[in-house]
Amino acid sequence: MQQPDLTTYRYLVLAEGHFGPLTSKTANSAVRFLPDRVLGIVDSTRAGQTVQDVLGFGGEIPIMGSMEEGLRLNPTALLIGIAPQGGALPPAWRPALTAAIRAGLHVVAGLHAYLADDAELSSLAAEHGVRIHDLRRPPAGLPVSKGHARNIGAYSVLTVGTDCNIGKMTAGLRIRDALRARDAKVGFAATGQTGILIEGWGIAVDAVVADFIGGAAETLVLKAAEGNDIVMVEGQGSLVHPGYSGVTLGLLHGSMPDGMILCHQPTRTCPYGAGNPYSWMPLPSVPEMIRIVEGAIAPLRPSPVIGVSLVTFDMDEAAARDEVARIQDLTGLPTTDPVRFGAEPLADAILRAAARKKGN
Amino acid sequence: MQQPDLTTYRYLVLAEGHFGPLTSKTANSAVRFLPDRVLGIVDSTRAGQTVQDVLGFGGEIPIMGSMEEGLRLNPTALLIGIAPQGGALPPAWRPALTAAIRAGLHVVAGLHAYLADDAELSSLAAEHGVRIHDLRRPPAGLPVSKGHARNIGAYSVLTVGTDCNIGKMTAGLRIRDALRARDAKVGFAATGQTGILIEGWGIAVDAVVADFIGGAAETLVLKAAEGNDIVMVEGQGSLVHPGYSGVTLGLLHGSMPDGMILCHQPTRTCPYGAGNPYSWMPLPSVPEMIRIVEGAIAPLRPSPVIGVSLVTFDMDEAAARDEVARIQDLTGLPTTDPVRFGAEPLADAILRAAARKKGN
């Protein structure tokens, strides 16, 4: 689970042809959470712009037109900045990878296809003395979950969502930071490649053999609880996503959270938004989704949704504030967009719930 | 997915120390569904008994005290008859495996640890010209499910359950046989190692990388629907099982069944029965479980439970008949123990539902 080198690399990020607010989740999270260690992005279709121009955050980090230009920034590692659905390495990227390795860069990737298993890349890496980190590769010997995670002393919180790619990791990290600002001892259980990149440890639960999803989650929660009073568990997928719901339920039942934070994007009406393979199904409303996630864990233990985290970057500020207020009224739960308006209301809700657990 | 050799082997079944009604699921299913191709069982703790003595079915198939004795029955393949939780090969079995290979037997196994990846066993198999079939090894290139399985013309039925190992595959196969006896064209989508053993094709959905559970199910259903009017999808696990629920939800959302058959054992009160790692949680009642499974697919499509399949081997006949009647009254759904009382009520319910779908 531990990959300590990850906490020191200075990255050039490959996002060729796909750098954008919705298309380069790994790159964007690296910018958001490791801004001092992202030296530049490679995307020839955006060359000359800054990250701020494209994402609306990220400041002056430059977007480079080629690997050659990017290498002049003196990075120590190349990060694959997008995670294509299905997870395979697009053949067009191979020249960029070999160029990076030849230039002495380590390679960090979160694809389902493990780069270290690629004969050309691994022998080239050995020749040039660099490491290939496949963030998604699971550790050996994972157990089948037994429900042990329900017995930790810390208060555990899982971020869940109405959909994939809807702010579950970001909410978790923002809440963690807000909790630490209040001097709480918080562990973060990273369950996806981007969370592992940021934290330096974790297990990508979507990459384990299906029987061990829950066991991976249980293993992570037990470790993240050590020496901490609160555990934030990074959520994955959605219980209503036709492609990924199995990962989500396994994570829910393996992590056995004391409470949950529900993540939602008000403008999204079907999985991944309109015009995609899932446009045939509507997303549940926030109250419906609260019933679904609470109902899914109820047979194992009671676990309430204790707050709502919204993604509102595509709404103007007045509309976003109105929506936060509307959802808060509708659900009776603390609601915020943790990126836009701060995570404090959710951190405070967790502190109150943790105090109640400790008092019992 | 296709393993045609599997339809011809004559098996010696290794179940050393574990042959019994609840402990040797793969062996027992081979006896039940391939009785003419199971020549003997190896379990020194039961040597001299018949399969009938131990299971209550299976007739005069002998239980042998050693591999040496078993080989005298002239089998063509050794079947690993139990699937230990976690899936690894117990070291104590290695001598039996090497003895079988040296004697020219093919090897068929459903463990998570693939025997063909074992250097000693695979080189020994090559030396002796025999094949190793790892039933659980998934095919390459599985997709993420897109919901395509909801669009097949055939009527599809998924067996679901209140628990693991509660008759989902057996009910599906019995129902399939009853449907074929009524001249229906039925495909069976095998989703576990034992179903694959019996059918000769399928994908073990619990062994795929977690992101592809639904995609494996979708692939199977599309194939099983070809040329058929009804598809029986073998269920796995349970939506309330703390260890395996992720597999179950992925299978449900990938297979997108038109209807479901709920499997239950009246005497079972917690996952795997009492005295196990899950004894801290009660199983839902049949009506509660119907609400849970119907609710879990409702956001994607409506799919009703259309019948209940009970496992009553541990009840006397009068009590079993009373329980069938009680569940039928309670739920308003056709109910039977398909092994003890026949699968016809469930087959008829499916034919009625299939006719309604065709009529729409």
Side-chain angles (χ1 to χ4, degrees), chain A residues 86 112 144-146 150 205-206 208-212 239-240 242-247 249 253 256 277-278 280-281 299-300, chain B residues 86 112 144-146 150 205-206 208-212 239-240 242-247 249 253 256 277-278 280 299-300:
Chain A
H112 272 301
V144 170
S145 54
K146 302 289 192 300
R150 78 192 190 286
V205 294
D206 64 358
V208 306
V209 166
D211 259 356
F212 305 103
L239 288 180
V240 300
Y244 302 120
S245 58
V247 171
L249 187 62
H253 284 178
M256 286 269 183
Y278 305 105
W280 50 271
M281 74 166 271
L300 282 67
Chain B
H112 271 302
V144 171
S145 55
K146 302 290 194 300
R150 78 194 190 285
V205 295
D206 64 358
V208 307
V209 166
D211 259 357
F212 305 104
L239 288 179
V240 300
Y244 302 119
S245 58
V247 171
L249 188 62
H253 284 178
M256 285 269 182
Y278 305 105
W280 50 271
L300 281 68

Side-chain angles (χ1 to χ4, degrees), chain A residues 40-209:
Chain A
I41 310 287
V42 177
D43 180 354
S44 63
T45 67
R46 304 277 199 176
Q49 295 182 272
T50 65
V51 168
Q52 183 83 34
D53 293 335
V54 175
L55 299 185
F57 63 92
E60 297 305 306
I61 297 172
I63 305 177
M64 319 301 284
S66 68
M67 283 296 297
E68 292 67 36
E69 288 176 43
L71 291 172
R72 287 185 216 130
L73 301 169
N74 291 320
T76 62
L78 181 73
L79 171 67
I80 307 296
I82 71 177
Q85 197 180 40
L89 173 68
W93 296 3
R94 189 172 288 271
L97 287 169
T98 55
I101 294 171
R102 285 182 208 283
L105 270 60
H106 304 283
V107 175
V108 178
L111 311 188
H112 272 301
Y114 301 135
L115 298 188
D117 292 345
D118 183 283
E120 180 191 7
L121 297 178
S122 67
S123 73
L124 199 64
E127 187 185 325
H128 290 271
V130 302
R131 293 193 58 184
I132 296 177
H133 297 262
D134 285 303
L135 299 172
R136 256 187 171 134
R137 191 192 293 272
L142 288 172
V144 170
S145 54
K146 302 289 192 300
H148 296 317
R150 78 192 190 286
N151 296 324
I152 59 172
Y155 183 85
S156 59
V157 182
L158 174 67
T159 49
V160 295
T162 49
D163 196 10
C164 301
N165 200 6
I166 202 157
K168 291 180 290 290
M169 183 194 72
T170 299
L173 289 167
R174 292 283 174 151
I175 293 167
R176 178 204 51 184
D177 292 346
L179 287 166
R180 287 190 180 156
R182 282 153 165 72
D183 295 323
K185 285 154 67 184
V186 191
F188 187 86
T191 63
Q193 69 273 19
T194 309
I196 297 167
L197 172 76
I198 294 165
E199 291 295 296
W201 73 282
I203 303 173
V205 294
D206 64 358
V208 306
V209 166

